[in-house]
Amino acid sequence: MFAFMKGLLISGLAVFFLWSCNGKENLPPASGLSGDMYLVMDSVQWQGKLGEVVDSLFRIEMEGLPRKESIFHMRWIDPRKLNFVLKQRRNLIFAVTLDRNSAGANMLKGLFTPESLEKIKSDPDSYVLTMSDVYAKGQEAMYLYGNTEKELIANLRSKGHYLIEHFNRKEKERLGVSLYKSGQITGVSDWLKQNMDCDIKIPFGYKLVINNKEFLWMRQINPSVDKDIFIAAVPYQSQDQFKKENLIALRDQFCEKYLFEDPEVANSYLKTETTVPFIPVTTKEVNMNGKYAIEMRGLWRANNFSMGGPFVGFAMVDEAKGKFYYVEGFTFSPSKDQREIMRELETILGTFRTSEAITK
């Protein structure tokens, strides 16, 4: 699926734009917050069906959060007001169709060469191109185009999830750079390789709470946010271990054994929240660093209802070692938005490796 998505997003590389990519070393750094999106689109199309489709696509809710938060924060920019400052935003989306002749649409069409416009007219399946560092270093720009508005809307509705995955991956790549700028806790990495046959990159700032041959828990606490990462390992028995009900049972088994709101209060152990009908625990198949995995998202709470929050976890097998791993990130941050916290935890989890992938 990833290979298809990558091909989809770069298939338009034959389309050329009227600016030059030379001089990137002199570009200013991209600005803006993680998750911010700036959509450059003609005002008439923004207020119409195309704007509605693009806006709803990138405002889809992030799964498994206790409060509604969209996966991205979308802002609209009139092409006529795209100034030097706005051009430096970290995530830019340009959207235009050739059947529009307004001033704003014509400005956007002016970004394309005559050859590229002919390609758009002749290829209804071509609708997206991504480029990096167009106006600023660290910037990601996406161009959505079509011969007609109806044509572009059809492509967005059938393939739009790939566009979300693209920007989500770019945000996590940026997070990875900033998280590990000061390095990682190498002692944890060495211990994991020797005792649990796996590895994960834990950035500075986390503290080791528990480590034994079946469970490791790392924690970062500040006055407003508690971020947690844990790794659990059990013998691999069958594919049934990937079923949602079995993953929840495994999670609850380790939470009840090791994770407490207050270790002095036996009833304060953590558990998976399965009684909120509008925020169910969800699972899906994913490719995690080339390995088959199941992603699980949902809410957790203390058994005595004293605290709770969201979690995201991944389950996978190391067949060579006969081990079944479940790695998770969860947070307690009741006074803060949690979208970017969860994206950060997911970035850390994305560094997890089983023995087959560990560099010897």
Side-chain angles (χ1 to χ4, degrees):
M1 179 178 291
F2 174 75
F4 172 74
M5 178 179 70
K6 185 177 179 182
L8 180 73
L9 293 178
I10 66 172
S11 61
L13 285 179
V15 181
F16 294 98
F17 294 88
L18 290 177
W19 64 77
S20 170
C21 292
N22 294 328
K24 284 190 176 184
E25 63 276 4
N26 297 319
L27 291 174
S31 62
L33 301 175
S34 178
D36 281 356
M37 309 288 295
Y38 287 80
L39 172 65
V40 186
M41 177 188 283
D42 168 62
S43 60
V44 176
Q45 289 194 306
W46 166 246
Q47 295 166 11
K49 193 64 179 179
L50 180 60
E52 179 185 326
V53 170
V54 176
D55 187 51
S56 62
L57 178 66
F58 286 95
R59 285 187 188 270
I60 189 171
E61 286 182 29
M62 178 176 277
E63 293 181 336
L65 297 185
R67 298 181 299 273
K68 291 184 178 181
E69 294 183 56
S70 60
I71 193 168
F72 295 107
H73 184 194
M74 177 71 77
R75 292 181 172 90
W76 169 68
I77 303 173
D78 188 310
R80 294 166 293 185
K81 297 181 179 180
L82 184 62
N83 57 32
F84 176 78
V85 174
L86 292 174
K87 283 182 178 180
Q88 294 177 32
R89 298 306 185 190
R90 62 195 287 148
N91 297 315
L92 287 176
I93 301 175
F94 298 86
V96 67
T97 59
L98 303 189
D99 57 349
R100 300 300 305 176
N101 288 305
S102 63
N106 287 333
M107 286 184 68
L108 292 174
K109 286 189 282 187
L111 298 175
F112 297 82
T113 65
E115 293 81 7
S116 63
L117 294 174
E118 287 302 316
K119 176 178 172 61
I120 294 171
K121 291 178 182 179
S122 62
D123 186 0
D125 293 326
S126 176
Y127 77 102
V128 59
L129 170 68
T130 61
M131 299 180 71
S132 300
D133 304 336
V134 177
Y135 299 110
K137 290 180 182 179
Q139 181 184 73
E140 191 67 15
M142 177 177 285
Y143 302 87
L144 303 175
Y145 49 82
N147 193 35
T148 66
E149 189 170 297
K150 181 179 179 181
E151 184 181 281
L152 179 54
I153 288 174
N155 277 321
L156 292 175
R157 283 177 169 164
S158 63
K159 306 164 189 171
H161 57 289
Y162 293 117
L163 311 185
I164 297 171
E165 290 173 14
H166 174 78
F167 274 113
N168 195 36
R169 188 177 70 256
K170 289 297 180 180
E171 286 291 22
K172 286 191 285 188
E173 288 175 2
R174 292 172 178 138
L175 274 171
V177 172
S178 61
L179 280 172
Y180 299 104
K181 190 173 183 179
S182 299
Q184 68 180 86
I185 304 174
T186 55
V188 170
S189 180
D190 294 338
W191 186 91
L192 282 169
K193 292 174 185 177
Q194 294 171 12
N195 294 277
M196 294 184 74
D197 299 312
C198 62
D199 190 19
I200 193 170
K201 293 181 179 179
I202 302 294
F204 283 123
Y206 281 78
K207 303 297 182 182
L208 180 64
V209 184
I210 295 173
N211 61 311
N212 57 51
K213 291 198 173 184
E214 69 170 7
F215 191 80
L216 177 136
W217 176 22
M218 301 290 298
R219 193 176 194 184
Q220 183 186 94
I221 304 178
N222 63 48
S224 61
V225 181
D226 183 346
K227 304 174 189 175
D228 301 78
I229 299 284
F230 72 77
I231 301 171
V234 296
Y236 175 57
Q237 297 171 339
S238 74
Q239 284 289 107
D240 286 347
Q241 288 170 275
F242 284 107
K243 292 181 178 179
K244 181 166 72 172
E245 61 270 24
N246 293 332
L247 287 176
I248 292 174
L250 177 69
R251 183 184 187 278
D252 285 348
Q253 171 191 329
F254 279 97
C255 285
E256 186 170 355
K257 187 175 181 179
Y258 293 112
L259 303 178
F260 294 84
E261 185 268 334
D262 182 350
E264 300 299 320
V265 180
N267 194 38
S268 69
Y269 61 85
L270 307 192
K271 63 185 297 183
T272 309
E273 175 60 86
T274 58
T275 62
V276 181
F278 54 91
I279 312 179
V281 176
T282 62
T283 58
K284 67 177 180 180
E285 297 179 336
V286 295
N287 181 328
M288 191 170 180
N289 303 315
K291 287 187 70 66
Y292 173 85
I294 293 291
E295 174 192 289
M296 184 164 71
R297 292 180 183 268
L299 301 179
W300 63 272
R301 65 173 172 85
N303 186 58
N304 61 359
F305 295 93
S306 59
M307 62 191 303
F311 74 85
V312 58
F314 297 90
M316 69 201 72
V317 171
D318 184 337
E319 294 182 355
K321 297 293 185 179
K323 288 188 176 182
F324 184 84
Y325 292 99
Y326 177 72
V327 296
E328 179 180 302
F330 68 93
T331 184
F332 177 62
S333 48
S335 63
K336 298 178 69 67
D337 289 340
Q338 296 168 327
R339 178 190 69 189
E340 293 309 316
I341 297 173
M342 295 308 295
R343 208 188 313 260
E344 177 183 318
L345 291 172
E346 192 175 342
T347 300
I348 297 172
L349 296 177
T351 68
F352 181 79
R353 299 289 190 275
T354 58
S355 65
E356 304 129 306
I358 296 173
T359 303
K360 303 298 183 182

